[in-house]
Amino acid sequence: MTNNQSVLKWLDEMKELLQPTNVMWIDGSEEQLEKLREESVQSGEMHKLNQDLLPGCYLHRTQPNDVARVEGRTFICSREKENAGPTNNWCDPQEMYTKLYNIARGTYNGRTMYIIPYSMGPIGSPLAKIGVEITDSIYVVLNMAIMTRIGEKVWEVLGDSNDWVRGLHAKCNVDPENRYICHFPEDNTIISVNSAYGGNVLLGKKCFALRIASYQGWKEGWMAEHMLILGLQNPKGEVKYVAAAFPSACGKTNLAMLIPPKYLRDKGYKIWTVGDDISWMKIGPDGRLYAINPENGFFGVAPGTNEHSNFNALESTKKNTIFTNVALNLDNNTVWWEGLDKNPPKNALNWRGEPWDYTKYDKADKVGTSGAHPNSRFTAPAKNCPCISDEFDKGQGVPISAIIFGGRRAKCAPLVYQSKDWVNGVFVGSAMASETTAAAAGAVGVVRRDPMAMLPFCGYHMGDYFAHWLEMGEKLGDKAPKIFNVNWFRTDDDGNFLWPGFGDNMRVLNWIIDRCEGNADAVETAIGYVPRPEDIDLTDLDVDFETLTSILKVDKDVWEKEAAEIEEHYKKFGDRLPEELRAQLNNLKENLAKM
Ligand code: OXD
Ligand code: MN
């Protein structure tokens, strides 16, 4: 427990508001967590899985109306509307506090208030930050115990400081009409009501580590980004670190845990995972950019995860994992999801907890007929991951050599290119986009701009966010990481993928690191430096030289259309769009005109 006056005062206010019947301070001990697991099994909130096959693993189901993040009900409540910018929902903070307090008032009555002190980042790391979440959900406590570092030590590190993030979660009655996920960046406060689904209620993740932290990073001179962090080890045993941002459905977790093809493994190449979703980056004493993963676990999408697509992720879920909204195999009390293997259980409950007949599965109605919900999740401790980096738990962070942006583009971006410099790289990130897939609702192939993959996660005006990137580049000078863009998703005219992806993406990562080290060639094009086909190692790969040549091509017509779309996209940001980025766009147009 703590004597921190700012914490105690806030907790008093919250108790007064919420009227809990009991209060429990989460101390992070295994005994306390085990008692909570037992209690949640007794109440039916969690289901204990087969402890021989899945030791320490549980299944939880959320309400069918509460299965995903709700961007339409997510708000940035800055004092000035203009400061939330054109890409966020905004509400006046006083109005929103009043509304949320009215919704939450008295709703802990008959329930327990759990007080969770947590650290984003290794406890005591100079890059870490502290939060306190109160919740009326044991599921939240147990997930936070996996996803963050919790417990008594956090209070010790916090001491008397007022530098911590307040997080109020109240399940209320899980009413979608009154569901709100609200951020008050100027008050270091998050309030989430009427949801019990992970992304809306594990307040350390998207709410703190991205929305609030991006604002803090802007004010304090560091960066909170929606990026994986990986270490690439070469045959000499040297490890170089890369941070990479992708919109959803681009294989971010797969890239973070990549297993190189056998030919490269035999040579001694290996990938180490530092993080799969979020990166906090600060300039270190030597002037380079250092990154930590603020999280302590993976909140990964289950469907599609299997021993071929992502062996390391699957291994991570074999113990001490909470599964949410997957199917339950009643024959052996284990879990199943679409894409795990080709043997759906014959005797099973679906994600709603109803008897499930796998023969009725209909791809066109996944939510209605699948065993697992398409957005079902595993919450797994990062330490379970067979390729977790030694640096994961060290607080000083890893030096970043390259930053990679990416998206799903059938015809536009080449397999890989390097931006001309930092400012050009910020331009590339600001124009980042992905095309919708058949898996998503709505039209296929629609381009959605998602700058730096931060569209739903930037806690302030995106024009100011771009300016912050430019300022960081100025501070970093020639120590700045090199910025690249990748696209694993080029297709032929019949829509077939031309690049195998997965482990073979290692071949592209090798070129990227070689470029950082000055050991690889490239051709200067209108958009940046593109490898010559002979610069990408195709040994043992079923991709021919012509195909590689075609996916490295920069097509003038396609890019002229792209430039026009970027111009449209930029209009949103008005006069907060940095001049340097407008100049980059003009430069691109001029370069294309010369092609
Ligand atoms: C996630 C997301 O769940 O980005 O990580 O949506
Ligand atoms: Mn994410």
Side-chain angles (χ1 to χ4, degrees), residues 206 226 252 277:
K206 303 297 189 184
H226 191 199
K252 197 164 147 198
D277 196 36

Side-chain angles (χ1 to χ4, degrees), residues 69 205-206 226 248 252 277 299 301 377 457:
R69 289 188 292 103
K205 193 175 175 65
K206 303 297 189 184
H226 191 199
S248 52
K252 197 164 147 198
D277 196 36
F299 185 62
V301 176
R377 299 279 175 150
F457 305 120

Side-chain angles (χ1 to χ4, degrees), residues 214 217-225 422 460 463-473 475 578:
S214 61
W218 176 41
K219 295 288 164 187
E220 297 166 10
W222 53 282
M223 306 167 89
E225 298 297 333
W422 181 273
Y460 59 109
D464 295 338
Y465 168 78
F466 298 149
H468 178 48
W469 265 82
L470 294 172
E471 249 169 66
M472 289 298 294
K475 286 191 198 148

Side-chain angles (χ1 to χ4, degrees), residues 263-264 415-417 488 499 504-512 514-515 520-521 530-539 541 543-545 548-549 551-552:
Y263 154 72
L264 290 171
L415 176 65
V416 58
Y417 66 101
W488 319 128
W499 179 252
D504 288 307
N505 292 335
M506 184 74 185
R507 300 166 193 269
V508 174
L509 292 178
N510 276 346
W511 180 78
I512 287 175
D514 284 346
R515 283 296 292 172
D521 268 325
V530 177
R532 299 169 309 173
E534 57 270 36
D535 298 324
I536 304 280
D537 184 353
L538 292 183
T539 310
L541 186 63
V543 171
D544 58 35
F545 199 74
L548 179 59
T549 307
I551 59 177
L552 289 172

